[in-house]
Amino acid sequence: MQDTNLLTVEGLEQSFGGVMALAGVSFHTPENLIYAIIGPNGAGKTTLFNVLCGFYQPASGSLRFNGQELRGRPPHRIAALGIARTFQNLQLFFNMTVLENVMVGGHLRAKTGLLAAALRLPQVRHEEQQLREWAREALELCELTDHAEHPAGALPYGLMKRVEMARALAAKPRLLLLDEPAAGLNDTETMALRDLIQRIRASGVTVLLVEHHMPLVMSVSDRLLVLDYGSVLAEGTPAEIQANPRVIAAYLGGAVQYAI
Ligand SMILES: Nc1ncnc2c1ncn2[C@@H]1O[C@H](COP(=O)(O)OP(=O)(O)OP(=O)(O)O)[C@@H](O)[C@H]1O
Ligand SMILES: [Mg+2]
């Protein structure tokens, strides 16, 4: 039978020395979903993103994206297939403008080589124009247009995190991986983030969301995967996950408020 999911992960294993960071993880994500991955610290969430992006080569398992196997491909090839990410720790060029930072994302898609760039061939100018246009679109979606010419390092923290998201979007991904986008944000910024994630999905991008902020996760996601010690503890809708006794015992606890 043909696999209609955008992402299908099967039996994924990744270990670091004696630590099994991913101990046989399987799940699948249809296109155009907001799919959250939650679990306690050290559960393997960031490791899963790193494997998906080709930063680590897993010991076993398979990762199919849009019908193509990702395992064995280097990060730039995976990016070119349409997967972009943000990082748990902010990774911006503080002295560059917001627009320049965001244009870096589009360069992952650039086709012309160094020689063509050095010679300023016409296709380079055309490509530069294209990158600028994609960056402008991403800034618009992230409501950062007014800050385009400001140095990224001068922005408040919440906006810097948005610049990272805009940079990932400027690569025109089909799948966007967000690693703790709400960390360090206040309540107002977190609500704005929820709206932004919904706009990103509405623009046709599937979102994998790693996040500890439960009110955000439970209100924005269509489905959730719960990891614990590198294994899948549960998978389901927000209502199913909130009612799952194993998830409550391992992660959610009894007194979690889900309203945002
Ligand atoms: N490069 C590495 N070298 C050695 N151990 C690692 C490495 N990366 C992750 N680990 C270990 O793998 C396990 C999973 O870590 P990971 O960063 O994926 O957790 P996480 O679910 O993202 O946690 P958090 O919510 O704290 O970000 C942990 O035990 C961690 O110490
Ligand atoms: Mg992490």
Side-chain angles (χ1 to χ4, degrees), residues 158 162 185-195 213 260:
R162 249 167 207 255
L185 301 190
N186 63 33
D187 287 350
T188 314
E189 289 169 332
T190 305
M191 281 174 71
L193 173 66
R194 182 181 63 181
D195 295 345
H213 192 294
I260 193 170

Side-chain angles (χ1 to χ4, degrees), residues 38-40 214 218 226-228 233-235 238-258:
I38 63 170
M214 284 307 112
M218 294 302 175
V226 187
L227 292 181
D228 191 26
L233 193 65
E235 205 275 348
E240 287 165 355
I241 295 300
Q242 285 171 48
N244 184 314
R246 293 178 69 202
V247 180
I248 294 169
Y251 183 51
L252 293 180
V256 186
Q257 295 292 317
Y258 299 115

Side-chain angles (χ1 to χ4, degrees), residues 16 19 21 40-47 56 88 180 212:
F16 300 104
V19 179
N41 295 116
K45 306 178 297 294
T46 298
T47 302
Y56 300 141
Q88 195 165 346
E180 300 199 21
H212 286 290

Side-chain angles (χ1 to χ4, degrees), residues 68-88:
Q68 289 179 289
E69 179 59 52
L70 297 180
R71 207 171 147 206
R73 288 181 204 252
H76 68 280
R77 295 239 181 271
I78 292 177
L81 287 176
I83 300 183
R85 74 175 293 179
T86 63
F87 292 88
Q88 195 165 346

Side-chain angles (χ1 to χ4, degrees), residues 21-205:
L22 298 172
V25 170
S26 303
F27 67 98
H28 52 85
T29 318
E31 185 134 38
N32 227 245
L33 232 70
I34 298 173
Y35 193 88
I37 298 161
I38 63 170
N41 295 116
K45 306 178 297 294
T46 298
T47 302
L48 175 61
F49 276 10
N50 284 331
V51 171
L52 272 170
C53 292
F55 294 166
Y56 300 141
Q57 289 303 328
S60 61
S62 80
L63 303 142
R64 275 192 313 283
F65 174 68
N66 195 24
Q68 289 179 289
E69 179 59 52
L70 297 180
R71 207 171 147 206
R73 288 181 204 252
H76 68 280
R77 295 239 181 271
I78 292 177
L81 287 176
I83 300 183
R85 74 175 293 179
T86 63
F87 292 88
Q88 195 165 346
N89 304 313
L90 211 55
Q91 300 204 357
L92 290 180
F93 300 103
F94 291 130
N95 295 325
M96 284 164 51
T97 67
V98 168
L99 177 63
E100 287 164 347
N101 267 282
V102 173
M103 282 179 70
V104 170
H107 277 287
L108 292 169
R109 282 287 175 102
K111 290 191 178 61
T112 47
L114 263 183
L115 183 61
L119 297 172
R120 301 291 298 158
L121 295 179
Q123 70 261 35
V124 176
R125 281 198 295 278
H126 176 74
E127 197 163 72
E128 182 89 4
Q129 199 57 39
Q130 177 78 83
L131 294 184
R132 199 168 284 273
E133 200 179 304
W134 286 351
R136 290 272 179 203
E137 281 172 27
L139 287 176
E140 193 70 37
L141 189 64
C142 296
E143 295 178 331
L144 286 168
T145 304
D146 292 348
H147 300 285
E149 305 305 332
H150 298 165
L155 297 181
Y157 183 73
L159 290 185
M160 285 192 203
K161 293 204 75 158
R162 249 167 207 255
V163 176
E164 272 226 317
M165 289 173 70
R167 181 170 59 196
L169 288 167
K172 289 273 171 195
R174 252 176 105 171
L175 179 67
L176 176 65
L177 316 182
L178 300 174
D179 199 350
E180 300 199 21
L185 301 190
N186 63 33
D187 287 350
T188 314
E189 289 169 332
T190 305
M191 281 174 71
L193 173 66
R194 182 181 63 181
D195 295 345
L196 174 56
I197 293 172
Q198 278 163 342
R199 284 202 303 280
I200 291 171
R201 188 255 296 272
S203 78
V205 178

